[in-house]
Amino acid sequence: MTVRTRFAPSPTGLLHIGGARTALFSWLHARHHGGEFVLRIEDTDRERSTAESVAVILEGMAWLGLEYDEGPIFQTQRFDRYHEVLSQLLSEGKAYRCYCSKERLTVLRAEQMARGDKPRYDGHCRHVRRPPSATTPSVIRFLNPNEGTVVVPDLVRGAVEFRNDELDDLVLARTDGTPTYNLTVVVDDLDMAITHVIRGDDHLNNTPRQINIFQALGSAPPSYAHVPMIMGSDGQRLSKRHGAVSVLQYRQEGYLPEALLNYLVRLGWSHGDQEVFSLDEMVDFFDVRDVNRAASTFDPDKLQWLNHQYIKNVDPAHIARHLSWQMGRLNIDPAAGAALIEVVMVQRERSKTLREMAQNSVFFYEDFDDYDAAAAKKHLKPGIIGPLTRIREDLQAVSQWAASSIHEVIVDNAEAGGLKLGQLAQPLRVAVCGRAASPPIDTTLELLGRERALARIDRAIEYLRHQKSHP
RNA sequence: GUCCCCAUCGUCUAGCCGGCCUAGGACACCGCCCUUUCAAGGCGGCAACACGGGUUCGAAUCCCGUUGGGGACGCCA
């Protein structure tokens, strides 16, 4: 049987870290087994589902590169099928109409809580068996077995047992006739021939109910793997309403999708001491059964470290494409200066994110307005006018505008002026970059281009003269 | 409250089918080295088996309990 997994988000918010990891695990499981991965949008909650959320989820999946073999399938387009199953269950006596008012249920729940019981439906309408009424609204409830136990054979947790009398008769269809989650998942997982359901362990408690529904439908449930939640730094679960940010925000912040994926795969899963995994390695090594049972905490520092690893080691041309996107966000025209790939080469060691790389490379493409105040104060002092003027002449005269020859000029000038390398390099750096930190000054000058470099030195000299005359 | 899940350094984890563990790696942090800046890199350091009972010659590893955390208890998914 072909392994088939699915990722089934509800479009009621963003695609966050937790969802992305569930999607990744499902995707990896399918790929590892040469199976198929399905994307299903669980949009039966008409109140909260939005087209924007759908778009964001699809974009997030695409950015991460989690390609699906089928989908997106929308549950709202399968209502006919759900109704068919509903009437089947109804006619077989495995579901029934419930006419209880919301008020009655609220009171019931309050009483049960007060008594120290688990709130659950009391089966009041179980044996009423009235046809739908035009005047009294009704829902359809599943007739859950009230004896025995249900065992959830879970790939990460082992067998988890629930007593049927802990489970109540859940609502399968709302007053307005629309089906609810617990019915639609079952029908869909069945119809879509899903073999492995990998999802957050917040669903573990729903699983015995779903298994009972599978049974009522005369079918075997799929295999389950409930993966632990991801917590925020405050120890609280990461969720749409708590500390979760869209995966797309990581793109904006300059993270590589492969770095995020790598970070995510190591959250709750490991392969010995290995930290960095190519996509192929993930597919090869991943096994849901190796997923941890304990929840883990999201650590932005480690994500950043991994991102830096990728920036440093991945093909510069690939990084350059992502850098180009970041440059675009800063309204920088990459054609206005050094080739992006060259910039990547000199900046990758000192850039943990692509956004940082872009921000620190703006001066290659655009003149800056002001010098960094602290840098100017420290390095642009009147005494440096002479050395800057002399090196400017030598730089203008150098035959080959290349880092090596530029380097020689700097060394020679420092020596001739009785300056330590840093005493000349730093003022020069501030002059051409506007700040005290940059890639090595010789390559920086090379990438800047002679014309631009000389112009900026001129500007610095002018600035210094002005400072001198107007202290 | 009831049910379910979980428990190794601050964080992610290795280990878990018992001895190879004076508990390993990574991130972060702190030193030192290198150095034209910022980095990168090298070397070193700090730091954990939640607690209590068992079982055993021997337990981080198995069992029970306690405590702590998380989840579920919806006409949300």
Side-chain angles (χ1 to χ4, degrees), chain A residues 131-180:
Chain A
S133 146
T135 49
T136 320
S138 64
V139 297
I140 298 174
R141 284 184 187 273
F142 178 63
L143 194 136
N144 196 80
N146 43 22
E147 286 181 347
T149 59
V150 189
V151 174
V152 178
D154 192 277
L155 260 19
V156 345
R157 280 156 219 283
V160 183
E161 191 171 311
F162 294 84
R163 291 157 46 129
N164 266 323
D165 60 17
E166 285 292 336
L167 276 23
D168 63 356
D169 293 346
L170 61 285
V171 172
L172 297 178
R174 306 179 176 93
T175 311
D176 66 3
T178 57
T180 60

Side-chain angles (χ1 to χ4, degrees), chain A residues 8 24 42-43 77 98 118 120 219 281 322 327 351 367 369 425:
Chain A
L24 172 62
E42 309 215 325
D43 55 351
Q77 302 194 335
C98 168
K118 183 185 201 168
R120 38 143 98 75
S219 304
E281 286 178 313
H322 283 89
M327 287 300 201
S351 309
D367 287 336
D369 294 331

Side-chain angles (χ1 to χ4, degrees), chain A residues 21 31 43 98 107 129 142 161 201 232 334 342 346 355 440:
Chain A
R21 192 192 56 167
R31 291 287 174 269
D43 55 351
C98 168
V107 172
R129 298 296 152 84
F142 178 63
E161 191 171 311
D201 73 8
E342 299 294 332
V346 301
R355 182 165 73 179

Side-chain angles (χ1 to χ4, degrees), chain A residues 32-333:
Chain A
H32 179 82
H33 294 283
E36 290 151 357
F37 176 58
V38 180
L39 177 65
R40 184 170 77 218
I41 305 293
E42 309 215 325
D43 55 351
T44 53
D45 184 349
R46 309 304 281 142
E47 303 277 298
R48 276 176 275 198
S49 299
T50 66
E52 297 77 66
S53 292
V54 172
V56 166
I57 289 167
L58 297 182
E59 195 179 351
M61 294 291 283
W63 179 65
L64 289 170
L66 298 178
E67 293 173 343
Y68 30 93
D69 304 292
E70 278 174 38
I73 296 167
F74 294 85
Q75 291 190 319
T76 40
Q77 302 194 335
R78 290 175 44 76
F79 275 19
D80 289 349
R81 173 63 181 140
Y82 306 134
H83 290 310
E84 186 181 309
V85 173
L86 244 13
S87 46
Q88 181 194 329
L89 289 171
L90 238 23
S91 67
E92 290 175 359
K94 291 169 177 167
Y96 61 92
R97 287 200 174 273
C98 168
Y99 297 87
C100 292
S101 65
K102 289 189 180 179
E103 292 68 40
R104 188 183 106 78
L105 298 179
T106 309
V107 172
L108 177 67
R109 226 167 268 144
E111 286 172 356
Q112 288 166 329
M113 291 281 256
R115 221 182 300 134
D117 285 348
K118 183 185 201 168
R120 38 143 98 75
Y121 182 62
D122 61 358
H124 181 76
C125 293
R126 267 196 164 199
H127 306 291
V128 173
R129 298 296 152 84
R130 249 197 294 158
S133 146
T135 49
T136 320
S138 64
V139 297
I140 298 174
R141 284 184 187 273
F142 178 63
L143 194 136
N144 196 80
N146 43 22
E147 286 181 347
T149 59
V150 189
V151 174
V152 178
D154 192 277
L155 260 19
V156 345
R157 280 156 219 283
V160 183
E161 191 171 311
F162 294 84
R163 291 157 46 129
N164 266 323
D165 60 17
E166 285 292 336
L167 276 23
D168 63 356
D169 293 346
L170 61 285
V171 172
L172 297 178
R174 306 179 176 93
T175 311
D176 66 3
T178 57
T180 60
Y181 167 73
N182 281 297
L183 193 250
T184 59
V185 246
V186 170
V187 173
D188 284 353
D189 286 339
L190 207 51
D191 288 355
M192 296 168 197
I194 300 302
T195 58
H196 300 261
V197 170
I198 298 173
R199 53 170 39 154
D201 73 8
D202 49 336
H203 286 283
L204 185 55
N205 290 285
N206 286 322
T207 309
R209 302 165 179 284
Q210 290 168 19
I211 288 179
N212 283 338
I213 298 175
F214 272 103
Q215 242 141 33
L217 258 23
S219 304
S223 292
Y224 292 97
H226 288 94
V227 308
M229 304 272 86
I230 298 175
M231 308 294 181
S233 49
D234 57 356
Q236 291 297 297
R237 166 192 175 191
L238 227 49
S239 72
K240 287 165 190 169
R241 31 189 148 30
H242 182 85
V245 298
S246 167
V247 296
L248 293 174
Q249 189 171 325
Y250 291 96
R251 171 173 63 177
Q252 300 209 338
E253 289 175 6
Y255 289 87
L256 256 2
E258 48 269 59
L260 186 55
L261 253 19
N262 195 148
Y263 176 73
L264 255 22
V265 82
R266 281 286 286 99
L267 219 48
W269 176 84
S270 62
H271 182 72
D273 286 336
Q274 190 169 342
E275 296 288 352
V276 180
F277 296 85
S278 68
L279 229 42
D280 286 344
E281 286 178 313
M282 284 186 211
V283 171
D284 277 354
F285 301 150
F286 186 78
D287 186 332
V288 248
R289 290 171 301 188
D290 295 333
V291 171
N292 275 173
R293 285 176 290 278
S296 40
T297 306
F298 180 74
D299 179 9
D301 284 333
K302 188 151 184 184
L303 202 214
Q304 194 170 68
W305 173 78
L306 261 171
N307 199 49
H308 192 198
Q309 295 305 305
Y310 277 86
I311 287 176
K312 280 191 301 182
N313 301 314
V314 153
D315 174 23
H318 176 72
I319 303 296
R321 281 192 291 276
H322 283 89
L323 178 61
S324 178
W325 189 83
Q326 289 288 156
M327 287 300 201
R329 298 193 72 229
L330 294 175
N331 286 317
I332 298 294
D333 175 10

Side-chain angles (χ1 to χ4, degrees), chain A residues 423-444:
Chain A
Q423 292 177 305
L424 180 57
Q426 279 307 88
L428 194 52
R429 192 186 312 277
V430 177
V432 301
C433 308
R435 49 167 77 199
S438 85
I441 188 63
D442 41 19
T443 45
T444 297

